[in-house]
Each structure stands twice: as C-alpha cells, then as structure tokens.
Amino acid sequence: SYVLTQPPSVSVAPGQTARITCGGNNIGSKSVHWYQQKPGQAPVLVVYDDSDRPSGIPERFSGSNSGNTATLTISRVEAGDEADYYCQVWDSSSDLWVFGGGTKLTVL
Amino acid sequence: EVQLVESGGGLVQPGGSLRLSCAASGFTFSSYSMNWVRQAPGKGLEWVSYISSSSSTIYYADSVKGRFTISRDNAKNSLYLQMNSLRDEDTAVYYCAREGDIVGATYFDYWGQGTLVTVSS
C-alpha cells in the first residue's frame, strides 16, 4: 500500500517560516491535501489539491508538490499555528485514502 | 452552516458490536460522498471507509474489511458505521467527514467532532 512519510516534529520561532514535508513514491503525480488538528479538536482542511486553500484559510498557508515530496509552508508563523499537521492522498491503485503519520508543529 | 454530528460511541467488549451514526445538516447530503476516519488515542489519522452519494460505491480499509459496514440514508441525512467483531485496536475517536464538493475531489472538507469508541474487557 502507498506510504506517506512526515517528520514527527518541526519547530519554528514566531514570525518565521515553517516547512512540513510529506514524502511518497512519485507523490508529485498525486493530489496532496493537508489538515491541521489542534488538541481535542477535529481536523481542519488547510490546503487541498497540492496548493489550493479553502475559504477562510489565511494566505500564510501554501503548498507545493513535486517529485517524491510535497510541502506545506506556513509563513509568518503565529502561536495559534501550533498543531499537528497531516498530509493525505488518494491512492488510485488501491482505492484507499492514505494519511501521513503527522507532524507536530511547535512554535518556540 | 455545514454540520456533522456523530453519535453512538461508547464502551464495548472485544468481539462486540456498535453502530455509529452521523447526522448531517446545512448541505444537500444526498449529493456528497462521505467517509469515516478514526484516530486512536495519541495516534494519527486513519481512513476507515467511503460511501458514494448514491451508495453505489463503497470502500474499506484493510484493517476493517469484513467487520465494518458503512451505509447511509439520504432521506434522513444520516451516515452509519456498523462495527462488528470489535478488537482492542479499534479503540479510537471516529469522525465522519464529507468529501470535497469539487468533482473528483479526494479530500475531506468538513469533519464532525467525533465519537469515542472504547473496546475493552
């Protein structure tokens, strides 16, 4: 089955840029989606189809996808961005929806 | 406003059964595919099952295939998950999630708050 690999944790100072990666075999050929989950809350979609943002999501959140790595970039990081972030794809070869293991973003 | 409200979680013994429900409102439920996603305590997200808008297409994760059954009642704006032969490793918060509203969408744009299922003797 298709596997998505994320770093367990990423730390960044307020105002800086955070980059969270999601690795997968030829992931650039798939549509990658990103979710933010704060403690005790349901996940929230922050980027879909590699780089599109749902309404209400700040422009500080952006995404890219190429080759074997997709990246969620959070610019001008704020304390409120501290959360777990998950990447997700649909694996058409198996008709399964796959999540990465998640990355805990810590704002120093 | 889109709302998804899960119910039916609780404590069940290994080998037991439970039926989860998800009540949808604020959108035309019959036009959207729906999913169940779960999260074990302290762990990541795991997709569980998918059902198309008309129930014509259904998929399951290998971990639940043959034990769980997804269904929906469009007249009642409700999604269900029948869980049988429950195991300890099925302990998790179960979320219902709506598939995105773009044709061919493969993401989940709205999620419920989840219902906790605990499998323990």
Side-chain angles (χ1 to χ4, degrees):
Chain A
S1 61
Y2 194 78
V3 175
L4 295 174
T5 301
Q6 297 182 237
S9 62
V10 168
S11 298
V12 64
Q16 299 303 303
T17 297
R19 294 179 179 84
I20 299 172
T21 59
C22 177
N25 184 34
N26 197 27
I27 195 173
S29 66
K30 302 181 182 298
S31 291
V32 180
H33 320 299
W34 292 91
Y35 303 87
Q36 175 193 69
Q37 186 181 34
K38 296 181 179 179
Q41 299 184 19
V44 173
L45 180 70
V46 293
V47 168
Y48 67 97
D49 290 347
D50 297 340
S51 59
D52 290 333
R53 275 186 316 276
S55 60
I57 300 300
E59 292 184 4
R60 301 185 297 105
F61 289 81
S62 62
S64 62
N65 184 21
S66 178
N68 292 318
T69 305
T71 303
L72 173 69
T73 300
I74 309 172
S75 304
R76 303 180 299 282
V77 167
E78 303 173 356
D81 297 331
E82 191 163 278
D84 293 326
Y85 290 85
Y86 296 89
C87 58
Q88 176 252 314
V89 301
W90 175 60
D91 180 20
S92 58
S93 65
S94 59
D95 289 322
L96 298 177
W97 284 252
V98 181
F99 286 96
T103 298
K104 181 176 180 58
L105 176 67
T106 299
V107 181
L108 301 170
Chain B
E1 177 192 7
V2 172
Q3 284 200 320
L4 298 169
V5 180
E6 302 93 338
S7 60
L11 176 63
V12 61
Q13 291 188 338
S17 298
L18 213 55
R19 189 194 195 206
L20 305 184
S21 299
C22 172
S25 61
F27 65 103
T28 306
F29 180 72
S30 59
S31 296
Y32 288 84
S33 299
M34 298 294 295
N35 294 263
W36 288 98
V37 178
R38 69 183 180 183
Q39 186 170 34
K43 302 297 184 181
L45 301 172
E46 179 189 16
W47 170 78
V48 173
S49 185
Y50 161 95
I51 186 168
S52 63
S53 57
S54 64
S55 304
S56 60
T57 302
I58 286 174
Y59 299 120
Y60 297 100
D62 290 343
S63 58
V64 306
K65 196 174 297 183
R67 300 187 299 122
F68 289 11
T69 301
I70 192 171
S71 62
R72 65 190 295 161
D73 185 336
N74 286 342
K76 295 183 177 180
N77 291 337
S78 293
L79 175 71
Y80 307 102
L81 186 67
Q82 177 66 43
M83 304 185 296
N84 298 331
S85 303
L86 283 162
R87 307 167 178 167
D88 291 351
E89 54 265 35
D90 294 319
T91 294
V93 173
Y94 285 74
Y95 297 99
C96 67
R98 192 184 83 167
E99 199 90 344
D101 58 5
I102 296 176
V103 174
T106 58
Y107 54 88
F108 313 123
D109 61 355
Y110 287 94
W111 299 62
Q113 283 304 303
T115 187
L116 176 62
V117 172
T118 303
V119 183
S120 175
S121 54

